[in-house]
Short mmCIF file of all heavy atoms in Angstrom, two decimals:
data_model
loop_
_atom_site.label_atom_id
_atom_site.label_comp_id
_atom_site.label_asym_id
_atom_site.label_seq_id
_atom_site.Cartn_x
_atom_site.Cartn_y
_atom_site.Cartn_z
N VAL A 171 -18.30 -21.94 -19.79
CA VAL A 171 -17.40 -20.80 -19.93
C VAL A 171 -16.03 -21.14 -19.36
O VAL A 171 -15.00 -20.77 -19.94
CB VAL A 171 -17.98 -19.56 -19.22
CG1 VAL A 171 -17.01 -18.40 -19.26
CG2 VAL A 171 -19.31 -19.16 -19.83
N ARG A 172 -16.00 -21.87 -18.26
CA ARG A 172 -14.73 -22.25 -17.63
C ARG A 172 -13.91 -23.14 -18.57
O ARG A 172 -12.67 -23.09 -18.54
CB ARG A 172 -14.99 -22.96 -16.31
CG ARG A 172 -13.74 -23.22 -15.51
CD ARG A 172 -14.03 -23.47 -14.04
NE ARG A 172 -14.87 -24.60 -13.80
CZ ARG A 172 -16.12 -24.55 -13.37
NH1 ARG A 172 -16.69 -23.38 -13.11
NH2 ARG A 172 -16.83 -25.65 -13.18
N TYR A 173 -14.56 -23.92 -19.41
CA TYR A 173 -13.87 -24.79 -20.37
C TYR A 173 -12.99 -23.96 -21.30
O TYR A 173 -11.88 -24.38 -21.66
CB TYR A 173 -14.90 -25.58 -21.18
CG TYR A 173 -14.30 -26.32 -22.35
CD1 TYR A 173 -13.70 -27.57 -22.18
CD2 TYR A 173 -14.34 -25.78 -23.64
CE1 TYR A 173 -13.16 -28.25 -23.27
CE2 TYR A 173 -13.80 -26.45 -24.72
CZ TYR A 173 -13.22 -27.69 -24.53
OH TYR A 173 -12.68 -28.37 -25.61
N TRP A 174 -13.47 -22.75 -21.68
CA TRP A 174 -12.71 -21.90 -22.61
C TRP A 174 -11.73 -20.98 -21.88
O TRP A 174 -10.68 -20.63 -22.43
CB TRP A 174 -13.68 -21.05 -23.44
CG TRP A 174 -14.59 -21.86 -24.31
CD1 TRP A 174 -15.90 -22.16 -24.09
CD2 TRP A 174 -14.22 -22.51 -25.53
NE1 TRP A 174 -16.38 -22.95 -25.10
CE2 TRP A 174 -15.38 -23.19 -26.00
CE3 TRP A 174 -13.04 -22.59 -26.27
CZ2 TRP A 174 -15.38 -23.92 -27.18
CZ3 TRP A 174 -13.05 -23.33 -27.45
CH2 TRP A 174 -14.21 -23.98 -27.89
N ILE A 175 -12.06 -20.58 -20.67
CA ILE A 175 -11.22 -19.62 -19.94
C ILE A 175 -10.06 -20.29 -19.23
O ILE A 175 -8.94 -19.76 -19.19
CB ILE A 175 -12.07 -18.83 -18.92
CG1 ILE A 175 -13.13 -18.00 -19.63
CG2 ILE A 175 -11.19 -17.93 -18.04
CD1 ILE A 175 -12.57 -16.91 -20.51
N GLN A 176 -10.29 -21.47 -18.66
CA GLN A 176 -9.27 -22.14 -17.83
C GLN A 176 -7.94 -22.35 -18.56
O GLN A 176 -6.87 -22.11 -17.96
CB GLN A 176 -9.82 -23.49 -17.35
CG GLN A 176 -8.95 -24.18 -16.29
CD GLN A 176 -9.02 -23.47 -14.95
OE1 GLN A 176 -10.09 -23.18 -14.45
NE2 GLN A 176 -7.85 -23.18 -14.37
N PRO A 177 -7.93 -22.80 -19.83
CA PRO A 177 -6.63 -22.98 -20.50
C PRO A 177 -5.81 -21.70 -20.59
O PRO A 177 -4.59 -21.73 -20.42
CB PRO A 177 -7.03 -23.48 -21.90
CG PRO A 177 -8.37 -24.12 -21.70
CD PRO A 177 -9.04 -23.29 -20.66
N PHE A 178 -6.48 -20.57 -20.86
CA PHE A 178 -5.76 -19.30 -20.92
C PHE A 178 -5.20 -18.92 -19.55
O PHE A 178 -4.10 -18.35 -19.46
CB PHE A 178 -6.68 -18.19 -21.44
CG PHE A 178 -7.04 -18.34 -22.89
CD1 PHE A 178 -8.26 -18.88 -23.26
CD2 PHE A 178 -6.15 -17.95 -23.89
CE1 PHE A 178 -8.59 -19.02 -24.59
CE2 PHE A 178 -6.48 -18.08 -25.22
CZ PHE A 178 -7.71 -18.63 -25.59
N MET A 179 -5.96 -19.22 -18.50
CA MET A 179 -5.47 -18.94 -17.15
C MET A 179 -4.23 -19.79 -16.84
O MET A 179 -3.27 -19.30 -16.23
CB MET A 179 -6.57 -19.24 -16.13
CG MET A 179 -7.86 -18.45 -16.32
SD MET A 179 -7.63 -16.68 -16.07
CE MET A 179 -7.24 -16.64 -14.34
N ASN A 180 -4.23 -21.05 -17.27
CA ASN A 180 -3.09 -21.93 -17.03
C ASN A 180 -1.85 -21.48 -17.80
O ASN A 180 -0.72 -21.62 -17.33
CB ASN A 180 -3.44 -23.37 -17.41
CG ASN A 180 -4.52 -23.95 -16.52
OD1 ASN A 180 -4.70 -23.52 -15.38
ND2 ASN A 180 -5.25 -24.92 -17.03
N ILE A 181 -2.08 -20.92 -19.00
CA ILE A 181 -0.95 -20.46 -19.82
C ILE A 181 -0.36 -19.16 -19.28
O ILE A 181 0.85 -19.00 -19.17
CB ILE A 181 -1.40 -20.28 -21.29
CG1 ILE A 181 -1.76 -21.64 -21.90
CG2 ILE A 181 -0.31 -19.59 -22.10
CD1 ILE A 181 -2.38 -21.54 -23.27
N LEU A 182 -1.24 -18.22 -18.93
CA LEU A 182 -0.79 -16.90 -18.50
C LEU A 182 -0.25 -16.90 -17.07
O LEU A 182 0.54 -16.03 -16.71
CB LEU A 182 -1.93 -15.90 -18.60
CG LEU A 182 -2.43 -15.57 -20.02
CD1 LEU A 182 -3.65 -14.66 -19.96
CD2 LEU A 182 -1.33 -14.93 -20.84
N GLY A 183 -0.67 -17.87 -16.26
CA GLY A 183 -0.30 -17.89 -14.85
C GLY A 183 1.19 -17.83 -14.58
O GLY A 183 1.67 -16.97 -13.83
N PRO A 184 2.01 -18.73 -15.18
CA PRO A 184 3.45 -18.74 -14.86
C PRO A 184 4.23 -17.59 -15.50
O PRO A 184 5.38 -17.38 -15.17
CB PRO A 184 3.91 -20.09 -15.44
CG PRO A 184 2.66 -20.86 -15.74
CD PRO A 184 1.61 -19.84 -16.04
N ILE A 185 3.62 -16.87 -16.45
CA ILE A 185 4.35 -15.83 -17.20
C ILE A 185 4.05 -14.46 -16.61
O ILE A 185 2.89 -14.02 -16.60
CB ILE A 185 3.93 -15.85 -18.69
CG1 ILE A 185 4.14 -17.25 -19.29
CG2 ILE A 185 4.74 -14.81 -19.47
CD1 ILE A 185 3.65 -17.38 -20.71
N PRO A 186 5.05 -13.73 -16.13
CA PRO A 186 4.81 -12.36 -15.64
C PRO A 186 4.28 -11.48 -16.77
O PRO A 186 4.72 -11.59 -17.92
CB PRO A 186 6.20 -11.90 -15.18
CG PRO A 186 6.98 -13.15 -14.97
CD PRO A 186 6.45 -14.13 -15.96
N THR A 187 3.33 -10.62 -16.45
CA THR A 187 2.71 -9.79 -17.48
C THR A 187 3.72 -8.86 -18.14
O THR A 187 3.58 -8.51 -19.32
CB THR A 187 1.58 -8.95 -16.87
OG1 THR A 187 2.09 -8.21 -15.75
CG2 THR A 187 0.45 -9.83 -16.41
N THR A 188 4.76 -8.43 -17.40
CA THR A 188 5.76 -7.53 -17.98
C THR A 188 6.57 -8.20 -19.09
O THR A 188 7.22 -7.51 -19.87
CB THR A 188 6.71 -7.03 -16.89
OG1 THR A 188 7.24 -8.16 -16.15
CG2 THR A 188 5.99 -6.12 -15.91
N THR A 189 6.51 -9.54 -19.18
CA THR A 189 7.21 -10.25 -20.25
C THR A 189 6.68 -9.86 -21.62
O THR A 189 7.42 -9.84 -22.61
CB THR A 189 7.08 -11.77 -20.05
OG1 THR A 189 7.53 -12.12 -18.74
CG2 THR A 189 7.90 -12.53 -21.07
N TRP A 190 5.39 -9.55 -21.67
CA TRP A 190 4.76 -9.21 -22.95
C TRP A 190 5.02 -7.77 -23.37
O TRP A 190 4.60 -7.36 -24.45
CB TRP A 190 3.25 -9.44 -22.87
CG TRP A 190 2.85 -10.81 -22.43
CD1 TRP A 190 2.41 -11.19 -21.20
CD2 TRP A 190 2.86 -12.00 -23.23
NE1 TRP A 190 2.15 -12.54 -21.17
CE2 TRP A 190 2.41 -13.06 -22.41
CE3 TRP A 190 3.21 -12.26 -24.56
CZ2 TRP A 190 2.30 -14.36 -22.88
CZ3 TRP A 190 3.09 -13.57 -25.02
CH2 TRP A 190 2.65 -14.59 -24.19
N LEU A 191 5.68 -6.99 -22.52
CA LEU A 191 5.82 -5.57 -22.77
C LEU A 191 6.51 -5.23 -24.10
O LEU A 191 6.00 -4.39 -24.85
CB LEU A 191 6.56 -4.91 -21.60
CG LEU A 191 6.62 -3.39 -21.60
CD1 LEU A 191 5.21 -2.81 -21.53
CD2 LEU A 191 7.44 -2.87 -20.44
N PRO A 192 7.65 -5.85 -24.45
CA PRO A 192 8.28 -5.48 -25.72
C PRO A 192 7.39 -5.72 -26.93
O PRO A 192 7.36 -4.90 -27.87
CB PRO A 192 9.53 -6.39 -25.77
CG PRO A 192 9.80 -6.73 -24.34
CD PRO A 192 8.45 -6.81 -23.69
N ILE A 193 6.63 -6.83 -26.92
CA ILE A 193 5.74 -7.14 -28.04
C ILE A 193 4.58 -6.16 -28.09
O ILE A 193 4.22 -5.63 -29.15
CB ILE A 193 5.23 -8.59 -27.93
CG1 ILE A 193 6.40 -9.57 -27.96
CG2 ILE A 193 4.24 -8.90 -29.05
CD1 ILE A 193 6.01 -11.01 -27.73
N VAL A 194 3.99 -5.90 -26.93
CA VAL A 194 2.83 -5.01 -26.87
C VAL A 194 3.21 -3.59 -27.29
O VAL A 194 2.46 -2.92 -28.01
CB VAL A 194 2.23 -5.01 -25.44
CG1 VAL A 194 1.16 -3.93 -25.31
CG2 VAL A 194 1.65 -6.37 -25.12
N MET A 195 4.39 -3.13 -26.88
CA MET A 195 4.82 -1.78 -27.23
C MET A 195 5.01 -1.62 -28.73
O MET A 195 4.87 -0.53 -29.28
CB MET A 195 6.11 -1.43 -26.49
CG MET A 195 5.91 -1.18 -25.01
SD MET A 195 4.75 0.16 -24.67
CE MET A 195 4.83 0.25 -22.89
N VAL A 196 5.34 -2.73 -29.41
CA VAL A 196 5.48 -2.67 -30.87
C VAL A 196 4.13 -2.68 -31.56
O VAL A 196 3.89 -1.95 -32.53
CB VAL A 196 6.35 -3.86 -31.36
CG1 VAL A 196 6.36 -3.91 -32.90
CG2 VAL A 196 7.76 -3.74 -30.83
N LEU A 197 3.21 -3.49 -31.06
CA LEU A 197 1.90 -3.64 -31.70
C LEU A 197 0.95 -2.50 -31.36
O LEU A 197 0.07 -2.17 -32.17
CB LEU A 197 1.26 -4.97 -31.28
CG LEU A 197 2.02 -6.24 -31.69
CD1 LEU A 197 1.32 -7.48 -31.15
CD2 LEU A 197 2.14 -6.32 -33.22
N ALA A 198 1.08 -1.90 -30.19
CA ALA A 198 0.14 -0.86 -29.76
C ALA A 198 0.34 0.41 -30.59
O ALA A 198 1.46 0.74 -31.03
CB ALA A 198 0.35 -0.54 -28.28
N THR A 199 -0.77 1.12 -30.82
CA THR A 199 -0.71 2.36 -31.61
C THR A 199 0.00 3.48 -30.85
O THR A 199 0.62 4.34 -31.45
CB THR A 199 -2.13 2.81 -31.99
OG1 THR A 199 -2.92 2.94 -30.78
CG2 THR A 199 -2.79 1.79 -32.91
N THR A 200 -0.10 3.46 -29.52
CA THR A 200 0.61 4.44 -28.70
C THR A 200 1.24 3.73 -27.51
O THR A 200 0.80 2.64 -27.11
CB THR A 200 -0.35 5.54 -28.18
OG1 THR A 200 -1.33 4.94 -27.30
CG2 THR A 200 -1.05 6.25 -29.33
N LEU A 201 2.26 4.35 -26.94
CA LEU A 201 2.92 3.77 -25.76
C LEU A 201 1.96 3.71 -24.57
O LEU A 201 2.02 2.78 -23.76
CB LEU A 201 4.15 4.61 -25.41
CG LEU A 201 5.29 4.62 -26.43
CD1 LEU A 201 6.38 5.59 -25.99
CD2 LEU A 201 5.86 3.22 -26.62
N PHE A 202 1.09 4.72 -24.47
CA PHE A 202 0.13 4.75 -23.37
C PHE A 202 -0.81 3.55 -23.44
O PHE A 202 -1.07 2.89 -22.44
CB PHE A 202 -0.67 6.05 -23.42
CG PHE A 202 -1.68 6.20 -22.31
CD1 PHE A 202 -1.30 6.69 -21.07
CD2 PHE A 202 -3.00 5.82 -22.50
CE1 PHE A 202 -2.22 6.82 -20.04
CE2 PHE A 202 -3.93 5.95 -21.48
CZ PHE A 202 -3.54 6.45 -20.25
N LYS A 203 -1.32 3.25 -24.64
CA LYS A 203 -2.23 2.12 -24.80
C LYS A 203 -1.52 0.80 -24.54
O LYS A 203 -2.11 -0.14 -23.99
CB LYS A 203 -2.84 2.13 -26.20
CG LYS A 203 -3.81 3.28 -26.44
CD LYS A 203 -4.39 3.22 -27.84
CE LYS A 203 -5.36 4.38 -28.08
NZ LYS A 203 -5.92 4.37 -29.46
N GLY A 204 -0.24 0.71 -24.94
CA GLY A 204 0.51 -0.51 -24.67
C GLY A 204 0.69 -0.74 -23.18
O GLY A 204 0.49 -1.86 -22.69
N ALA A 205 1.04 0.31 -22.46
CA ALA A 205 1.19 0.19 -21.01
C ALA A 205 -0.15 -0.11 -20.36
O ALA A 205 -0.23 -0.89 -19.39
CB ALA A 205 1.76 1.49 -20.45
N LEU A 206 -1.20 0.48 -20.89
CA LEU A 206 -2.54 0.24 -20.36
C LEU A 206 -2.92 -1.23 -20.48
O LEU A 206 -3.48 -1.83 -19.56
CB LEU A 206 -3.55 1.11 -21.14
CG LEU A 206 -4.87 1.44 -20.45
CD1 LEU A 206 -4.63 2.30 -19.22
CD2 LEU A 206 -5.79 2.18 -21.43
N PHE A 207 -2.59 -1.83 -21.61
CA PHE A 207 -2.90 -3.24 -21.83
C PHE A 207 -2.15 -4.14 -20.86
O PHE A 207 -2.72 -5.09 -20.30
CB PHE A 207 -2.56 -3.63 -23.28
CG PHE A 207 -2.76 -5.08 -23.57
CD1 PHE A 207 -4.02 -5.58 -23.87
CD2 PHE A 207 -1.69 -5.97 -23.54
CE1 PHE A 207 -4.21 -6.94 -24.13
CE2 PHE A 207 -1.86 -7.32 -23.80
CZ PHE A 207 -3.13 -7.80 -24.10
N ILE A 208 -0.87 -3.84 -20.64
CA ILE A 208 -0.05 -4.66 -19.74
C ILE A 208 -0.60 -4.59 -18.31
O ILE A 208 -0.71 -5.61 -17.61
CB ILE A 208 1.41 -4.19 -19.77
CG1 ILE A 208 2.04 -4.52 -21.13
CG2 ILE A 208 2.21 -4.84 -18.66
CD1 ILE A 208 2.12 -6.00 -21.44
N ILE A 209 -0.96 -3.40 -17.86
CA ILE A 209 -1.50 -3.23 -16.51
C ILE A 209 -2.83 -3.97 -16.38
O ILE A 209 -3.06 -4.71 -15.42
CB ILE A 209 -1.67 -1.74 -16.18
CG1 ILE A 209 -0.30 -1.06 -16.10
CG2 ILE A 209 -2.42 -1.55 -14.86
CD1 ILE A 209 -0.37 0.45 -15.99
N ALA A 210 -3.72 -3.77 -17.36
CA ALA A 210 -5.05 -4.41 -17.31
C ALA A 210 -4.93 -5.92 -17.36
O ALA A 210 -5.72 -6.63 -16.72
CB ALA A 210 -5.90 -3.90 -18.48
N LEU A 211 -3.95 -6.44 -18.10
CA LEU A 211 -3.78 -7.89 -18.22
C LEU A 211 -3.46 -8.51 -16.87
O LEU A 211 -4.04 -9.54 -16.48
CB LEU A 211 -2.68 -8.20 -19.23
CG LEU A 211 -2.34 -9.69 -19.43
CD1 LEU A 211 -3.55 -10.44 -19.99
CD2 LEU A 211 -1.14 -9.85 -20.36
N GLY A 212 -2.52 -7.91 -16.14
CA GLY A 212 -2.16 -8.46 -14.83
C GLY A 212 -3.31 -8.39 -13.84
O GLY A 212 -3.54 -9.33 -13.07
N VAL A 213 -4.05 -7.29 -13.86
CA VAL A 213 -5.19 -7.14 -12.96
C VAL A 213 -6.29 -8.13 -13.35
O VAL A 213 -6.92 -8.75 -12.47
CB VAL A 213 -5.72 -5.69 -13.00
CG1 VAL A 213 -6.95 -5.55 -12.11
CG2 VAL A 213 -4.63 -4.72 -12.56
N TRP A 214 -6.54 -8.26 -14.64
CA TRP A 214 -7.56 -9.19 -15.13
C TRP A 214 -7.28 -10.61 -14.63
O TRP A 214 -8.20 -11.30 -14.16
CB TRP A 214 -7.60 -9.18 -16.65
CG TRP A 214 -8.46 -10.27 -17.23
CD1 TRP A 214 -9.82 -10.24 -17.39
CD2 TRP A 214 -8.03 -11.56 -17.68
NE1 TRP A 214 -10.25 -11.44 -17.92
CE2 TRP A 214 -9.17 -12.27 -18.11
CE3 TRP A 214 -6.79 -12.18 -17.77
CZ2 TRP A 214 -9.11 -13.56 -18.62
CZ3 TRP A 214 -6.71 -13.47 -18.27
CH2 TRP A 214 -7.86 -14.15 -18.70
N TYR A 215 -6.04 -11.04 -14.73
CA TYR A 215 -5.71 -12.40 -14.31
C TYR A 215 -5.95 -12.60 -12.82
O TYR A 215 -6.57 -13.58 -12.41
CB TYR A 215 -4.25 -12.71 -14.65
CG TYR A 215 -3.82 -14.08 -14.17
CD1 TYR A 215 -4.10 -15.22 -14.91
CD2 TYR A 215 -3.15 -14.23 -12.95
CE1 TYR A 215 -3.72 -16.47 -14.46
CE2 TYR A 215 -2.77 -15.49 -12.49
CZ TYR A 215 -3.06 -16.59 -13.26
OH TYR A 215 -2.70 -17.84 -12.80
N ALA A 216 -5.48 -11.65 -12.00
CA ALA A 216 -5.62 -11.78 -10.54
C ALA A 216 -7.09 -11.78 -10.12
O ALA A 216 -7.52 -12.61 -9.30
CB ALA A 216 -4.87 -10.65 -9.84
N VAL A 217 -7.88 -10.87 -10.68
CA VAL A 217 -9.29 -10.76 -10.29
C VAL A 217 -10.09 -11.96 -10.83
O VAL A 217 -10.95 -12.50 -10.13
CB VAL A 217 -9.89 -9.44 -10.81
CG1 VAL A 217 -11.39 -9.37 -10.52
CG2 VAL A 217 -9.18 -8.26 -10.16
N THR A 218 -9.80 -12.38 -12.05
CA THR A 218 -10.50 -13.54 -12.63
C THR A 218 -10.25 -14.79 -11.81
O THR A 218 -11.18 -15.53 -11.47
CB THR A 218 -10.05 -13.77 -14.08
OG1 THR A 218 -10.38 -12.63 -14.87
CG2 THR A 218 -10.75 -14.99 -14.67
N LEU A 219 -8.98 -15.04 -11.49
CA LEU A 219 -8.64 -16.25 -10.73
C LEU A 219 -9.27 -16.23 -9.34
O LEU A 219 -9.84 -17.25 -8.90
CB LEU A 219 -7.12 -16.36 -10.62
CG LEU A 219 -6.59 -17.60 -9.88
CD1 LEU A 219 -7.00 -18.87 -10.61
CD2 LEU A 219 -5.07 -17.53 -9.74
N ALA A 220 -9.20 -15.10 -8.65
CA ALA A 220 -9.76 -15.02 -7.30
C ALA A 220 -11.28 -15.17 -7.32
O ALA A 220 -11.85 -15.88 -6.48
CB ALA A 220 -9.38 -13.68 -6.67
N THR A 221 -11.94 -14.52 -8.27
CA THR A 221 -13.40 -14.60 -8.36
C THR A 221 -13.85 -16.00 -8.72
O THR A 221 -14.78 -16.56 -8.12
CB THR A 221 -13.92 -13.60 -9.41
OG1 THR A 221 -13.45 -12.29 -9.09
CG2 THR A 221 -15.44 -13.59 -9.43
N MET A 222 -13.20 -16.59 -9.71
CA MET A 222 -13.55 -17.95 -10.14
C MET A 222 -13.35 -18.95 -9.01
O MET A 222 -14.20 -19.81 -8.76
CB MET A 222 -12.69 -18.32 -11.35
CG MET A 222 -13.00 -19.68 -11.95
SD MET A 222 -12.08 -19.96 -13.50
CE MET A 222 -10.39 -19.94 -12.87
N THR A 223 -12.24 -18.83 -8.30
CA THR A 223 -11.95 -19.75 -7.19
C THR A 223 -12.97 -19.57 -6.07
O THR A 223 -13.44 -20.55 -5.48
CB THR A 223 -10.54 -19.50 -6.65
OG1 THR A 223 -9.59 -19.64 -7.71
CG2 THR A 223 -10.21 -20.47 -5.54
N GLY A 224 -13.32 -18.32 -5.76
CA GLY A 224 -14.28 -18.06 -4.70
C GLY A 224 -15.65 -18.66 -5.00
O GLY A 224 -16.29 -19.25 -4.12
N ILE A 225 -16.10 -18.53 -6.23
CA ILE A 225 -17.42 -19.07 -6.59
C ILE A 225 -17.39 -20.59 -6.62
O ILE A 225 -18.35 -21.25 -6.18
CB ILE A 225 -17.85 -18.50 -7.96
CG1 ILE A 225 -18.10 -16.99 -7.84
CG2 ILE A 225 -19.11 -19.22 -8.48
CD1 ILE A 225 -18.46 -16.32 -9.14
N GLN A 226 -16.29 -21.17 -7.10
CA GLN A 226 -16.19 -22.63 -7.14
C GLN A 226 -16.18 -23.25 -5.74
O GLN A 226 -16.59 -24.40 -5.57
CB GLN A 226 -14.93 -23.05 -7.90
CG GLN A 226 -15.03 -22.89 -9.41
CD GLN A 226 -13.77 -23.38 -10.10
OE1 GLN A 226 -12.72 -22.76 -9.99
NE2 GLN A 226 -13.87 -24.47 -10.82
#
Side-chain angles (χ1 to χ4, degrees):
V171 176
R172 188 160 61 249
Y173 170 83
W174 297 103
I175 297 295
Q176 190 71 50
F178 291 100
M179 301 295 294
N180 295 335
I181 293 172
L182 293 175
I185 304 175
T187 54
T188 52
T189 305
W190 305 103
L191 189 61
I193 299 174
V194 171
M195 287 302 183
V196 173
L197 298 177
T199 55
T200 64
L201 295 175
F202 181 84
K203 291 181 180 179
L206 203 65
F207 176 81
I208 291 297
I209 293 171
L211 178 63
V213 178
W214 171 83
Y215 177 82
V217 175
T218 298
L219 181 62
T221 305
M222 183 173 64
T223 303
I225 293 177
Q226 285 182 291

